[in-house]
Structure formats: structure tokens, C-alpha cells
Amino acid sequence: MTNINTLTLTRPDDWHLHLRDGAALKAVLPDSARQFARAMIMPNLRPPVTSTALAVGYRQRILAALPAGIHFEPLMTLYLTDNTRAEEIKQAVASGVVHGVKLYPAGATTNSDSGVTDLAHCKKALAEMEKLGLPLLVHAEVTDVQVDIFDRERVFIERHMIPLLKDYPALKVVFEHITTKEAADFVLRSPANVAATITAHHLLMNRNAMFVGGVQPHHYCLPILKREEHRQALLKAATSGNAKFFLGTDSAPHAKHTKEAACGCAGMYTAHSAIELYAEAFDGVNALDKLEGFASFYGADFYGLARNTECIELRRQSWQIPASLPFDGDSLIPLRAGQTVAWKLQ
Ligand code: DOR
Ligand code: ZN
């Protein structure tokens, strides 16, 4: 595989994406729509997308913001709260536009303050999801401030993921943006109803990237970057050809001044060159032959959706990422700003 210079892939999908709303949505949407046929749209807006009615409205705003002539399918999610009723789950499934329910432990990350304080409050909603086959997408980090930030994912497995799957053994669960060897191992030893997304940034960087030459706020995201041994475990999982692991960028735009601040926001913007960054990561371990399954097939299979049929082409061609992108009257610093990426979408 080492000398491949052109790569043709079935058009990929992004199974974890933050598009925001309003002018920000308009600024970032073309980047995703250029590469991906579909994306699972995260519901952590302010206020959050907690009902099917809100999801339908948000979906319409996304479609209205698309550049003319571009086809892109937003797959909507609901934001799980302590008060989500079983009836809401029924409506979500009946709508045909909601494809998952996102669990944010309250306080775990950006706009998670309306999230779940205790899964015990969600019994009826979870039972209905298990019954109807609507997947739970989990931000799997404990919020216990006593737990070291680098251990919050590992501890979540023991405290919440194992009990959750014991109570709802048939619930479809996506362990979102896994960052540790423990998470990859957990998904591997779980039954087929448990899968995981992996970001490009967690495949490409370890925690040193937050501190090269000084603090690097644009490399701060949640779950936080981990040690090299974890990055290696993620690369192994992503390139294994195992259908439990699929692409989810977690591209999360924040205006420059909110990242370069005394208390900076969590999130990396990778949508501008997502598939190229994944190609670089897979190429780095001579696994380009495994990229199509990961990027274009396994997510659709897990969600019970048809695979895409169109193709995209990538070339091995180094190109420079802009130093900054326009963003709602502000600017957005993309991952690799001012630096190069080794692959280019044609
Ligand atoms: O880094 C992150 N940014 N992690 C998340 O879980 C949320 C996201 C965001 O919405 O900015
Ligand atoms: Zn996310």
C-alpha cells in the first residue's frame, strides 16, 4: 500500500458532528457537505435539542443553510435529559429524521448543563430506546472532579457503561470519540450492539500536542488528548477492519477568541479537512486499504442505513491549511492552521 497516490472511496459519512446554528452553521456546513454524504448532528445547542419538534426545526435550518446544488443529509439526535419521556422517544423514531439520543453527563463538556444528572432518571426513555432500537450516543466521561481528567473515560466504563449495558443489554450504544485503550478494549469485548466512533485528532495527536512550546488552546478538546500508548490503541482499532469502529470527527467549532482565552472552550475544528486527516492517519500505519470500511460502510451498517453509492477521490498531495477561516464575524482556527496535510480531496 505504501506507494498508492490516488484513493477512491465510497463517499464517507461523519457519525459525530457539531454544526452549531445561525451564522456559525452557515460558515461551517459547506466544509462537511463537501466531503460527507451524511452526518450525525450533535444536539448541544443553546437551548439544547431535547424534542423531535426541535430536531425537525434544526434539520430544516441545516438544509436551508446548504450551498445550492449540494446534497447532504443531516441525521438528527435528541439531547437526553433527566426529564426525557418514553413518549418523546416514540415520536423521535416515528419522525424518521431522529437517529440517536445523545447522553451528556451534566457538566461533562460544552453546553452539557442540561444533561443527565443520574441515569436512574432516564429508565423509561432508555427502555423505550432499547425496545425501538434507537441508539444511545454516549459522551463517556465521569464528571466527578475528584477523578483525574485523563482517567475520566476509563472510570466512566466501570461506573456507568457496564451497569448501563447490564440494565439494557439490547440497547444500541455508540461509545463516542473513544480516547483510551480501555475504551477500545471495552468495545471489542462487548456484543454487536456496542460500537464506537474515533476522531481524526485522537488518531493523529497525543497529549504532548497541547503543550508544544507553550500551551496550545486549539488542541484542547474533551475527552482530552491522551498518552501515546492510547493513540496507538486507537490507531490499531480504527485500522483493524473491525466494523465496531467508525468515523466521527467531533469537529467542534469555537470562535478564535473563545479558545485563546483565560478559560478556553473545548473543541477542535477538523471539518475543513476531515477525510484528508483520516487518510493521513491511516497512511501513517500503511492501512489505507482499511479506510473505506471505517469511513464509509461500518457506521451506516450500525445505524441500519443504506451505504452511500457515490465516490470521492483523494490524492497524495501536500497542501496548506489556511491560518484562519471566517466564522460568524469572527475567525475560526482549524486544526493544522498554516501547516500542511498530506492528502487532498479532489
Ligand atoms: O471538545 C469538545 N467539544 N467535546 C465535546 O464533547 C463537545 C464539543 C463542543 O460542542 O464544542
Ligand atoms: Zn462531540
Side-chain angles (χ1 to χ4, degrees):
M1 290 308 295
T2 31
N3 278 324
I4 285 195
N5 292 318
T6 317
L7 193 60
T8 303
L9 299 178
T10 301
R11 187 173 288 281
D13 300 306
D14 182 351
W15 299 99
H16 185 127
L17 177 63
H18 298 270
L19 282 179
R20 314 305 189 204
D21 210 344
L25 162 66
K26 208 153 170 75
V28 298
L29 178 61
D31 282 348
S32 293
R34 193 170 62 240
Q35 303 164 58
F36 299 104
R38 299 170 287 200
M40 198 62 76
I41 311 301
M42 291 302 123
N44 61 334
L45 304 181
R46 264 183 205 288
V49 182
T50 49
S51 69
T52 300
L54 289 170
V56 166
Y58 184 28
R59 179 172 181 273
Q60 279 159 0
R61 295 196 297 284
I62 296 169
L63 292 174
L66 273 173
I70 300 241
H71 186 79
F72 174 79
E73 174 76 21
L75 306 168
M76 308 313 291
T77 59
L78 294 193
Y79 185 115
L80 187 67
T81 73
D82 289 350
N83 306 312
T84 306
R85 293 168 306 118
E87 189 53 39
E88 195 62 63
I89 301 300
K90 284 195 187 113
Q91 275 183 31
V93 172
S95 75
V97 302
V98 175
H99 296 269
V101 176
K102 182 71 190 275
L103 164 60
Y104 287 108
T109 188
T110 308
N111 298 350
S112 63
D113 32 297
S114 317
V116 173
T117 62
D118 186 339
L119 274 171
H121 296 131
C122 304
K123 286 183 181 160
K124 293 199 172 125
L126 291 168
E128 198 64 31
M129 289 167 62
E130 182 182 37
K131 187 171 134 199
L132 299 179
L134 186 63
L136 181 70
L137 318 185
V138 185
H139 183 109
E141 286 193 288
V142 293
T143 52
D144 181 346
V145 291
Q146 301 300 323
V147 177
D148 190 279
I149 189 168
F150 294 97
D151 295 333
R152 287 181 191 171
E153 182 175 278
R154 178 175 62 72
V155 173
F156 188 95
I157 299 172
E158 297 150 23
R159 288 195 194 166
H160 304 292
M161 203 62 116
I162 292 172
L164 173 74
L165 284 156
K166 199 160 163 263
D167 291 347
Y168 309 91
L171 183 66
K172 286 179 103 172
V173 169
V174 183
F175 198 141
E176 296 290 336
H177 42 52
I178 59 168
T179 63
T180 55
K181 179 174 187 316
E182 287 84 357
D185 288 346
F186 173 80
V187 171
L188 272 175
R189 65 170 188 270
S190 297
N193 54 309
V194 180
T197 55
I198 307 181
T199 76
H201 47 282
H202 290 102
L203 291 175
L204 289 165
M205 293 184 289
N206 65 34
R207 65 190 196 172
N208 285 342
M210 286 186 290
F211 307 106
V212 261
V215 69
Q216 300 288 333
H218 298 289
H219 291 165
Y220 171 56
C221 65
L222 290 170
I224 200 158
L225 293 173
K226 304 294 192 301
R227 284 178 181 275
E228 177 62 11
E229 67 193 85
H230 295 293
R231 186 182 78 91
Q232 290 297 335
L234 300 179
L235 268 173
K236 195 171 158 205
T239 62
S240 64
N242 188 315
K244 282 173 160 288
F245 301 101
F246 43 85
L247 185 158
T249 62
D250 198 16
S251 178
H254 289 276
K256 179 176 191 248
H257 76 271
T258 66
K259 296 276 301 168
E260 299 176 7
C263 184
C265 296
M268 292 193 211
Y269 187 67
T270 56
H272 63 293
S273 57
I275 193 64
E276 292 128 333
L277 290 165
Y278 279 106
E280 197 184 284
F282 276 59
D283 196 13
V285 290
N286 282 324
L288 283 173
D289 60 326
K290 297 294 197 300
L291 183 59
E292 188 176 42
F294 175 83
S296 315
F297 296 158
Y298 306 150
D301 297 350
F302 182 83
Y303 281 101
L305 298 169
R307 292 179 178 184
N308 299 318
T309 49
E310 270 181 46
C311 286
I312 60 163
E313 193 181 282
L314 293 163
R315 288 220 185 114
R316 188 192 300 279
Q317 178 191 329
S318 176
W319 63 289
Q320 199 176 16
I321 304 278
S324 128
L325 302 167
F327 185 64
D328 189 9
D330 209 312
S331 60
L332 177 60
I333 307 299
L335 187 68
R336 291 274 175 91
Q339 294 169 264
T340 58
V341 177
W343 285 82
K344 193 158 189 352
L345 180 67
Q346 298 303 298

